[in-house]
Amino acid sequence: MRADIKNIVRHFRVPGELVGFSECKTGHINSTFFVTFRTAGAETKYVLQKINTYVFKDPERLMSNIVGVTEYLRRVIEKEGGDPERGTLRFIPCDDGQHFCRDSNGGCWRMYKLIDDVLTYQLAESTELFREVGFAFGDFQRKLAGYDTSTLHETIPDFHNTKKRYSTFERVVTECTSERRIIAAAEIDFIRERRDKCSYIVDEIAAGRLPVRVTHNDTKLNNILIDKTTGRAVCIIDLDTVMPGSALYDFGDSIRFGASSALEDEADLDKVYFRADMYEAFAEGFIKGAGGALTEREISLLPMGAYIITLETGMRFLTDYLEGDVYFRTEYEGHNLTRARNQLKLVYDFETRFDEFRSITEEFM
Ligand code: ADP
Ligand code: GN1
Ligand code: MG
């Protein structure tokens, strides 16, 4: 048993004795472990996570957001007759009442109940599944529509400010002295040619043409738990980036990951394109799930959300490649470049098929 895990779980108020753990490697940011505790008659599983403090600089504020949002969701789910123990995460307090603790090296850890009998997907297996996922992410925004946004901290400032992401990208390109800049020359040019696109959503929000809502901001398919038996969406997880944002971000990030024909790091670009059937299924679910709250302008701009968030993510992977892989967890040399090329292929594909995606979206207006 890893000593750091054994030591850290002692700080959390959980009954019983730690009898096992395994690591889950699907996320790119935090380190996630499934841990099992045994009491006299039963075993209970929890998720233990080491928060990535390079990414999340202020764990106290981060956890205050998450505890606030999950408690609010619990009340909404109860009121609507659902099961809050499966419908949202339950965080475990530490001995000092806080919802995270530090190890001897300053590392930050949190713990919450594992939700059983669920699956997470890296690729959408069917349109039914992806429609269900769309509904759940739309419904998440609906449930949080009354949340007091003034209490939410910006856990990563300018997270989806694509315009600022572009400025960072330019700075990193300029400062990069490694051969990676030469290797990635074509991708750098590709992004530079699309510089003007990066301002679109930011400008729409600033002009008051797009409303600001409480959004998830990281709506990847593997951030939703799906019931193993029924195939229904159970719980939206990975709440670190729940902040005020645009519905276009949540729609866009889901599409760029889940409506792709291939994994996010598929290197054979001939296999990478957007699936219109998946796009349609998600759009239907998302718009219905939002419960009529989306404005006509928001719906008409959903394709722009998919396009810009895909461009933004490609740019973020490339920026990290040029910076030496400091942000996203990588598994091999050049992993971030592979991811960037994959996303930029999707950007190119979307550009050539914009009208198709616009017409599909209009079916639901
Ligand atoms: P990251 O920020 O690194 O993406 P996540 O919070 O998304 O971390 O967790 C990583 C993975 O752990 C998820 O994709 C999911 O498979 C699994 N997981 C997280 N929370 C739970 C939970 N409460 N019950 C079951 N599985 C979970
Ligand atoms: C990260 O944490 P995870 O793996 O769900 C990232 C997202 C990116 C995604 C790309 C906090 O998501 O913004 O879109 O990787 N999360 C953060 O796969 O930066
Ligand atoms: Mg995740």
Side-chain angles (χ1 to χ4, degrees):
M1 176 89 62
R2 270 176 56 170
D4 54 345
I5 293 197
K6 249 180 144 171
N7 284 331
I8 208 72
V9 294
R10 286 192 239 271
H11 295 282
F12 292 91
R13 290 188 198 150
V14 284
E17 179 203 354
L18 176 68
V19 292
F21 82 92
S22 60
E23 187 166 2
C24 167
K25 289 200 162 173
T26 54
H28 295 343
I29 304 295
N30 297 309
S31 304
T32 305
F33 303 87
F34 300 136
V35 294
T36 309
F37 276 71
R38 188 179 293 150
T39 50
E43 285 194 346
T44 313
K45 291 187 188 138
Y46 300 87
V47 179
L48 177 72
Q49 267 183 334
K50 186 171 185 196
I51 301 170
N52 181 331
T53 45
Y54 177 82
V55 170
F56 300 105
K57 313 275 186 215
D58 189 340
E60 206 160 336
R61 290 184 150 186
L62 172 80
M63 288 314 294
S64 130
N65 269 9
I66 294 184
V67 170
V69 164
T70 50
E71 281 175 358
Y72 183 89
L73 283 173
R74 189 166 297 121
R75 287 195 295 276
V76 175
I77 294 167
E78 258 167 17
K79 212 190 259 173
E80 296 182 352
D83 174 5
E85 291 310 316
R86 281 178 79 71
T88 192
L89 299 177
R90 181 180 283 283
F91 284 82
I92 311 292
C94 300
D95 290 333
D96 61 3
Q98 295 236 62
H99 287 86
F100 74 97
C101 66
R102 287 187 193 272
D103 62 25
S104 49
N105 300 315
C108 281
W109 297 75
R110 67 182 169 208
M111 199 167 171
Y112 51 96
K113 283 245 180 87
L114 183 121
I115 296 175
D116 250 330
D117 302 319
V118 293
L119 295 169
T120 45
Y121 291 87
Q122 308 309 316
L123 257 186
E125 283 182 358
S126 67
T127 49
E128 289 71 34
L129 169 76
F130 207 40
R131 187 175 295 107
E132 173 73 10
V133 170
F135 191 92
F137 277 121
D139 185 60
F140 182 83
Q141 280 188 18
R142 180 192 63 79
K143 286 198 176 94
L144 287 172
Y147 196 79
D148 180 3
T149 50
S150 69
T151 62
L152 277 174
H153 307 286
E154 218 180 342
T155 54
I156 301 179
D158 296 313
F159 189 59
H160 281 309
N161 186 329
T162 318
K163 197 174 177 175
K164 286 213 174 146
R165 293 274 184 195
Y166 184 86
S167 307
T168 306
F169 161 75
E170 270 298 349
R171 178 181 52 74
V172 169
V173 173
T174 313
E175 288 170 3
C176 179
T177 52
S178 83
E179 64 161 359
R180 288 188 172 198
R181 183 173 166 173
I182 298 152
I183 296 170
E187 289 74 23
I188 293 171
D189 286 348
F190 182 95
I191 292 172
R192 283 182 162 158
E193 282 158 19
R194 286 152 184 83
R195 176 195 180 135
D196 293 346
K197 306 273 194 266
C198 297
S199 309
Y200 191 84
I201 301 179
V202 187
D203 290 350
E204 283 287 304
I205 294 174
R209 290 193 293 264
L210 274 179
V212 171
R213 307 177 180 281
V214 179
T215 49
H216 182 282
N217 296 308
D218 187 3
T219 51
K220 264 169 41 169
L221 182 59
N222 60 18
N223 285 331
I224 183 163
L225 307 178
I226 305 292
D227 190 289
K228 244 183 205 166
T229 320
T230 63
R232 301 297 304 268
V234 175
C235 180
I236 288 175
I237 60 167
D238 208 344
L239 305 172
D240 297 324
T241 50
V242 174
M243 289 180 279
S246 163
L248 271 61
Y249 302 153
D250 281 5
F251 180 82
D253 198 42
S254 273
I255 293 295
R256 72 144 196 100
F257 188 88
S260 172
S261 56
L263 293 174
E264 193 183 55
D265 57 359
E266 172 60 59
D268 180 353
L269 298 185
D270 288 340
K271 293 190 182 149
V272 182
Y273 53 89
F274 277 112
R275 286 185 54 175
D277 57 344
M278 289 296 174
Y279 182 99
E280 180 177 31
F282 189 89
E284 182 181 4
F286 187 77
I287 293 165
K288 288 189 178 156
L294 300 182
T295 65
E296 213 163 275
R297 182 153 187 86
E298 270 176 309
I299 297 177
S300 72
L301 289 177
L302 290 176
M304 209 55 190
Y307 175 68
I308 287 176
I309 294 298
T310 310
L311 175 61
E312 179 187 282
T313 310
M315 187 160 70
R316 289 176 63 197
F317 285 141
L318 195 63
T319 304
D320 198 31
Y321 174 71
L322 297 171
E323 275 197 303
D325 309 318
V326 290
Y327 189 97
F328 297 105
R329 186 183 8 257
T330 53
E331 268 144 40
Y332 55 86
E333 166 70 26
H335 199 172
N336 272 320
L337 179 61
T338 303
R339 288 170 175 152
R341 287 182 170 148
N342 175 303
Q343 298 297 294
L344 300 181
K345 168 66 199 292
L346 288 175
V347 168
Y348 181 76
D349 182 51
F350 205 91
E351 279 171 354
T352 57
R353 298 166 60 203
F354 222 111
D355 288 343
E356 183 186 350
F357 293 113
R358 197 174 284 136
S359 316
I360 297 173
T361 314
E362 283 166 4
E363 286 171 32
F364 306 108
M365 284 185 83

